[in-house]
Amino acid sequence: MSLQKAAKYIALSQHKKALPSLMKKKSFKSACISEMMKIMARELHEVKRDKQCPLSNENSNLHEAFSYVQNKLPMLYSFLSTSGLDESALLLVFGIILYSSKKQLNLVQSVIGIMLWLSGAKREMFDQMHRWGLSLSISTVLSAIDRSRNKFDIKVTNWKVAWESLTTADSYENDVQIELMEDLQIGDSDGENNENSFEGIQPKQPDNISMTEENGRTNDNDNWILADNDEQQDALKNIGPSGDNGGHGWTEDNGDGGDNGNKQQQNALLLLPEAMVVEENVTVGPSGDNNEIDTSTFSLCFDNVNIKTIARHETTTKRNKMHNMIQAFASKDRIPVSHLSTKTPGADSFLMPVDTFLPSKTEMESIKDEYKTMIQRIIVQHVDDFRDIKVADHIYHPYMAQSKKKSEIVPLGVYDLDESTIHDAIKIGEIMQSYVPKNITIPLFGDGLSCERINDAQNSRISETTFCDRLEGIEPAISEWHKRLLFIQDLFKELFNGSSLTEAGTLCHAKNMLGFRNLKSDISQSFNQATEFIDIVTSAYVVACAKEALERVGSQQQSPEEAFQFVVAEVLRVAWHPPNGLTSEEKTNNNNEDNFEDSYSSDDEDANGTTHTLYKYCKCHEDRGGMMICCDNNYCKEGQWFHYRCVGVKRKPMGKWFCSDICKHNLPTNIDNKYEYTKALLWFGLGEMVRHDAIKENDGPRMIIHWKLDMILFYEKNHPKYFVLGHRLISAVNGSASDQLKMQLMWNRTVKVSGQNIPQDLHMEHLNEAFKSKHTYVYHKR
């Protein structure tokens, strides 16, 4: 029966379906195995006779040898690849099979020697394996290791060269455009523009200009090249863009003001080849033909990786030792930035208004919309009455397509350097700087401590004379994962209490009810469990609030969409609990009395129509700047925030502080602590979810807005390191960094290895864990 079924499939050319039926016959199975063995024997025989076999040359590249095996031993490769072994292990198996009949496969001996070195084998083992002919000597193995790592970063070096060439080409295009305008003498001598001077001229055919080699340019295929002429090069040194427009505009003054200059710019652009034309008010980026920009820009990331050596028998001379090292990688930018200016505006962050570092009213509305979207998703997923409602799966941003692409990442290896010492921190800065293109600054992502140490290294070399000696070109930039870790840690410190084990609804009670017993107090040791736990508890609270709101809807005649909007609004009303002064609408107490306006200032008009700004805080009602202190009575009617000097405070007091005896003795007594706990948990829980969603979507502006909101948390929870680094990040994206660096800091903060986008410092943690898991046993054996 099986043969008839197989014959039927074969007649229909469906050989894959016929094979299982045929394999049930022992005779057919034996014949297949015999034929496979013959094919593999022929393949091995041909490889043995090949004098150019890379497996016989110890200087061959491992990837080249693996490609050779795939092409020359297809049957053996397909047979062994089903075992699940990685590339190096498969290559070793191939080498052992070939070595059994051909004793001069030096590459196999090198691989075995490297395996012995990685396993921590002693010199005696190397000597014994070398005498048997299975491995090279220890010195030769070390030389092979050095050869294998010589070009490990060649891809990053190529990116660097390509980036430098792109920067040179961009400055050259600006020079050509400016030179054209000067040569053409657009307009009359008295400043009047001659509108007919460019009549009939087409962009691709600049007939009015003689493009010859005599004037330093050629017009072959519309590619203009500056001749190697010293006089022209000297003249071009004094020609360049002016103003703060990043090199995309000119201010030629011919006596007729800026409008005439703009006309000159537009007319001059008509004479450029099509590839050079930069249209005014066109953003090169997320849409249109300009989206296809070949980018070789990249960013760096590093972190410390520590491995402890455990001595088998501790003595006075032999003790446990901690090996402090660092690991780094480079990731190619998915969002193009090479078209942007590299000129640093030089804006002083000290001159930026304080409001720059806090979310504006519009940005708070944006965060509120994120909360609303997250609540909608939870309700639709868990409440049966609204499962048919359609909600947004993604919050749109202009780089959605690029953010879905897989990141190209190049590991830069592990260095035996201790970043905690200033000497090694300087060496780390020099290593990272060696990958930086000339006259360009790129982000060096890391955690708070790593960024601080690189800052210290740069400060220690600030008085040096050259660009390289000052360690310029790298911008230590805080990444997202460690900040998210800090946020969750603060959430647990605020809302998790072991004494509330028997109180239903608390985090401690939910932890035991849901079985999260591996959840530790140190969130860094159980981060995945903590985030999953917070998501579950937050969703449960949202669903509970939604069910209560549904009961209030009752028998009212409402469509499902209207009921859904009402429920979402009620949950949002409970969950929206921002810091004082940052809410986007009037904030009320439990009795809906004593409304407070939430903006920092408001505008009032007097009888003459003159607008006056009234500062909402402190008794002085003046924005004087300086340190401020908050009254611990949340219902304070005097402004709640006060200048130190206005209330006679010299330093931040310990414990609670009240602005007056009225606030101290008139604390509200009818506070519903369970309701306040619910509000706080929903605020922090949904806040964690929207922060994670912004990272998954690679939404740079949303992440920056969350940084602004977290600046208050850093100040209140005493995280000065992250407060300073957040200040640097926000000031960079608001004017103190170049357009190119600003774009990188905002839109290339994440990488995608598989699945969803993750922060760069989280991928660094994954690499550290992989390194420790592979090499911990090495040190233990030694």
Side-chain angles (χ1 to χ4, degrees):
M1 184 66 181
S2 59
L3 290 178
Q4 294 177 356
K5 188 176 181 180
K8 177 181 178 181
Y9 284 129
I10 293 174
L12 297 174
S13 299
Q14 297 178 359
H15 302 96
K16 289 185 178 181
K17 294 183 178 180
L19 187 59
S21 300
L22 293 173
M23 291 298 291
K24 294 179 181 179
K25 295 294 183 180
K26 293 184 178 180
S27 57
F28 180 82
K29 187 175 182 179
S30 300
C32 287
I33 294 175
S34 176
E35 187 63 27
M36 289 173 61
M37 295 295 291
K38 291 179 182 179
I39 295 174
M40 286 189 284
R42 286 197 299 267
E43 292 176 350
L44 290 170
H45 182 70
E46 292 178 1
V47 171
K48 293 175 188 176
R49 298 178 58 184
D50 187 2
K51 296 182 179 180
Q52 302 298 326
C53 177
L55 296 172
S56 302
N57 185 2
E58 66 181 35
N59 295 323
S60 297
N61 186 283
L62 294 179
H63 296 290
E64 177 185 350
F66 189 75
S67 299
Y68 176 85
V69 168
Q70 284 181 300
N71 296 329
K72 295 294 184 179
L73 302 170
M75 180 61 72
L76 183 60
Y77 172 77
S78 61
F79 178 74
L80 293 177
S81 60
T82 58
S83 62
L85 298 175
D86 57 13
E87 183 176 314
S88 58
L90 280 174
L91 188 61
L92 183 59
V93 173
F94 290 132
I96 292 174
I97 294 174
L98 293 171
Y99 186 80
S100 61
S101 57
K102 187 175 182 179
K103 305 296 183 182
Q104 295 179 351
L105 297 178
N106 294 334
L107 183 62
V108 177
Q109 294 174 321
S110 297
V111 173
I112 294 175
I114 293 173
M115 293 284 187
L116 291 173
W117 180 79
L118 289 174
S119 65
K122 296 184 178 180
R123 182 178 292 272
E124 292 79 5
M125 177 63 74
F126 279 96
D127 294 339
Q128 186 63 44
M129 296 289 284
H130 183 52
R131 283 194 293 269
W132 290 342
L134 297 176
S135 171
L136 301 176
S137 63
I138 179 63
S139 58
T140 312
V141 169
L142 293 177
S143 299
I145 292 173
D146 290 336
R147 285 195 304 271
S148 65
R149 66 179 295 275
N150 275 340
K151 296 183 178 181
F152 72 98
D153 59 352
I154 187 65
K155 186 176 289 188
V156 182
T157 305
N158 292 337
W159 293 348
K160 172 184 174 182
V161 174
W163 195 350
E164 288 177 343
S165 64
L166 285 173
T167 306
T168 304
D170 290 343
S171 62
Y172 159 71
E173 290 178 12
N174 291 335
D175 291 342
V176 171
Q177 294 174 354
I178 298 167
E179 184 183 4
L180 277 174
M181 290 191 300
E182 293 188 347
D183 292 344
L184 290 172
Q185 299 293 328
I186 303 174
D188 299 333
S189 58
D190 58 354
E192 296 180 359
N193 186 40
N194 185 359
E195 297 180 357
N196 297 324
S197 59
F198 292 94
E199 184 177 356
I201 297 178
Q202 300 298 326
K204 294 185 179 181
Q205 299 176 355
D207 298 330
N208 291 27
I209 300 180
S210 176
M211 291 298 166
T212 64
E213 296 182 358
E214 295 178 359
N215 65 2
R217 294 186 292 264
T218 178
N219 195 28
D220 296 336
N221 298 323
D222 286 338
N223 294 320
W224 298 359
I225 304 173
L226 286 175
D228 295 330
N229 187 307
D230 294 337
E231 294 180 358
Q232 291 180 350
Q233 297 295 338
D234 293 338
L236 285 173
K237 291 180 180 179
N238 299 322
I239 301 175
S242 59
D244 295 331
N245 51 11
H248 297 301
W250 303 269
T251 56
E252 278 284 314
D253 186 7
N254 59 356
D256 194 28
D259 292 337
N260 191 24
N262 292 334
K263 293 180 181 178
Q264 293 178 2
Q265 175 184 343
Q266 295 171 1
N267 290 332
L269 288 175
L270 291 175
L271 298 175
L272 296 176
E274 187 176 16
M276 280 189 175
V277 173
V278 180
E279 295 182 6
E280 190 176 6
N281 297 326
V282 174
T283 301
V284 181
S287 61
D289 298 335
N290 292 326
N291 189 26
E292 299 299 329
I293 298 178
D294 183 17
T295 175
S296 296
T297 60
F298 60 94
S299 58
L300 302 172
C301 182
F302 87 107
D303 193 11
N304 63 303
V305 51
N306 304 323
I307 294 181
K308 187 176 183 179
T309 303
I310 300 176
R312 179 173 297 177
H313 301 289
E314 285 194 71
T315 63
T316 55
T317 58
K318 189 176 181 181
R319 297 180 179 276
N320 296 341
K321 184 178 179 181
M322 181 66 73
H323 298 267
N324 299 319
M325 298 168 282
I326 65 109
Q327 187 172 195
F329 70 85
S331 60
K332 195 173 184 180
D333 292 341
R334 292 175 293 170
I335 312 301
V337 302
S338 57
H339 61 285
L340 298 174
S341 171
T342 59
K343 181 181 178 182
T344 302
D348 193 345
S349 60
F350 290 102
L351 300 179
M352 294 182 181
V354 178
D355 293 351
T356 304
F357 303 93
L358 296 173
S360 65
K361 194 170 184 178
T362 303
E363 290 170 338
M364 287 303 297
E365 287 287 352
S366 174
I367 297 176
K368 190 173 183 180
D369 289 339
E370 293 182 51
Y371 271 65
K372 183 178 179 180
T373 301
M374 203 59 59
I375 292 170
Q376 290 175 342
R377 294 177 184 174
I378 294 173
I379 292 176
V380 168
Q381 182 179 359
H382 297 287
V383 180
D384 294 335
D385 296 344
F386 303 122
R387 288 194 181 275
D388 296 332
I389 303 292
K390 301 296 182 183
V391 297
D393 293 329
H394 303 278
I395 298 178
Y396 174 80
H397 65 79
Y399 295 102
M400 296 285 287
Q402 292 92 331
S403 300
K404 294 178 181 178
K405 296 179 180 178
K406 188 175 181 179
S407 298
E408 192 171 353
I409 298 173
V410 179
L412 299 178
V414 179
Y415 297 87
D416 190 12
L417 297 171
D418 184 4
E419 67 173 8
S420 62
T421 64
I422 192 66
H423 179 265
D424 283 359
I426 292 174
K427 285 188 176 180
I428 294 170
E430 292 173 345
I431 293 172
M432 297 296 105
Q433 192 193 51
S434 65
Y435 297 107
V436 178
K438 187 182 299 183
N439 299 325
I440 292 176
T441 301
I442 67 175
L444 176 61
F445 290 105
D447 61 10
L449 190 59
S450 298
C451 292
E452 185 182 41
R453 287 166 175 171
I454 293 298
N455 282 329
D456 293 341
Q458 291 176 322
N459 292 334
S460 67
R461 304 287 290 272
I462 198 171
S463 60
E464 298 295 334
T465 56
T466 64
F467 180 87
C468 294
D469 291 341
R470 290 193 299 270
L471 298 181
E472 295 181 356
I474 51 175
E475 175 66 23
I478 186 70
S479 195
E480 296 296 319
W481 182 74
H482 283 85
K483 187 202 72 163
R484 190 170 161 225
L485 177 68
L486 192 66
F487 182 85
I488 298 176
Q489 187 74 66
D490 288 336
L491 186 157
F492 272 80
K493 287 181 179 179
E494 185 80 15
L495 301 175
F496 187 91
N497 191 340
S499 62
S500 62
L501 178 61
T502 58
E503 298 182 22
T506 62
L507 289 181
C508 185
H509 179 266
K511 171 178 176 285
N512 287 275
M513 289 292 294
L514 297 174
F516 281 85
R517 291 176 175 80
N518 293 328
L519 187 59
K520 301 178 175 59
S521 58
D522 185 3
I523 302 302
S524 62
Q525 302 299 320
S526 54
F527 179 78
N528 291 335
Q529 293 90 336
T531 54
E532 183 183 4
F533 174 68
I534 291 298
D535 288 351
I536 293 174
V537 174
T538 303
S539 299
Y541 267 83
V542 169
V543 172
C545 291
K547 291 290 187 180
E548 183 180 357
L550 271 176
E551 292 178 359
R552 292 204 299 271
V553 172
S555 60
Q556 297 179 12
Q557 298 297 327
Q558 290 185 343
S559 65
E561 290 76 12
E562 292 175 345
F564 178 71
Q565 294 300 330
F566 173 79
V567 170
V568 170
E570 286 297 303
V571 177
L572 183 61
R573 182 182 61 81
V574 178
W576 186 244
H577 184 60
N580 294 320
L582 293 182
T583 180
S584 59
E585 58 189 22
E586 292 184 348
K587 185 174 180 179
T588 61
N589 61 9
N590 293 338
N591 297 324
N592 295 324
E593 299 176 354
D594 300 331
N595 294 336
F596 293 92
E597 292 185 18
D598 56 337
S599 59
Y600 286 101
S601 61
S602 64
D603 295 330
D604 297 327
E605 290 188 0
D606 57 15
N608 299 324
T610 305
T611 301
H612 299 280
T613 299
L614 178 64
Y615 194 64
K616 293 295 180 183
Y617 299 107
C618 196
K619 299 176 181 179
C620 64
H621 296 295
E622 296 179 4
D623 188 4
R624 297 178 176 180
M627 298 293 291
M628 300 185 74
I629 187 170
C630 178
C631 178
D632 280 312
N633 188 336
N634 292 330
Y635 300 90
C636 174
K637 299 181 180 181
E638 297 296 328
Q640 194 162 10
W641 285 91
F642 303 88
H643 297 106
Y644 273 21
R645 53 191 171 188
C646 293
V647 292
V649 175
K650 294 183 178 180
R651 62 175 59 91
K652 185 178 180 180
M654 299 295 292
K656 294 186 177 183
W657 179 87
F658 300 94
C659 66
S660 63
D661 291 337
I662 296 177
C663 283
K664 183 176 181 180
H665 298 295
N666 291 337
L667 293 173
T669 58
N670 58 342
I671 297 177
D672 187 346
N673 292 322
K674 291 184 178 180
Y675 179 71
E676 294 297 325
Y677 187 90
T678 301
K679 290 198 303 182
L681 195 147
L682 284 174
W683 167 254
F684 282 106
L686 290 171
E688 149 60 17
M689 297 175 76
V690 299
R691 284 165 175 80
H692 189 203
D693 185 71
I695 294 171
K696 291 191 296 183
E697 300 286 355
N698 189 36
D699 196 333
R702 286 171 61 195
M703 286 186 269
I704 298 300
I705 293 175
H706 295 153
W707 268 97
K708 290 184 178 182
L709 184 59
D710 290 337
M711 292 293 283
I712 302 173
L713 182 67
F714 298 151
Y715 179 80
E716 292 180 346
K717 302 299 182 182
N718 194 24
H719 302 306
K721 188 186 285 90
Y722 281 83
F723 187 84
V724 172
L725 292 171
H727 182 277
R728 287 174 61 101
L729 173 63
I730 296 171
S731 62
V733 299
N734 281 279
S736 66
S738 66
D739 292 343
Q740 197 170 95
L741 180 59
K742 185 193 308 182
M743 189 76 168
Q744 283 186 293
L745 290 173
M746 184 177 294
W747 287 105
N748 290 295
R749 301 182 61 80
T750 65
V751 294
K752 184 177 181 180
V753 182
S754 61
Q756 60 191 18
N757 294 300
I758 60 174
Q760 294 208 24
D761 55 342
L762 178 56
H763 181 63
M764 190 76 260
E765 293 293 330
H766 293 165
L767 293 180
N768 287 346
E769 290 299 322
F771 174 76
K772 290 178 181 179
S773 63
K774 289 184 178 180
H775 297 279
T776 300
Y777 69 92
V778 176
Y779 294 99
H780 285 189
K781 287 189 176 182
R782 289 181 179 176

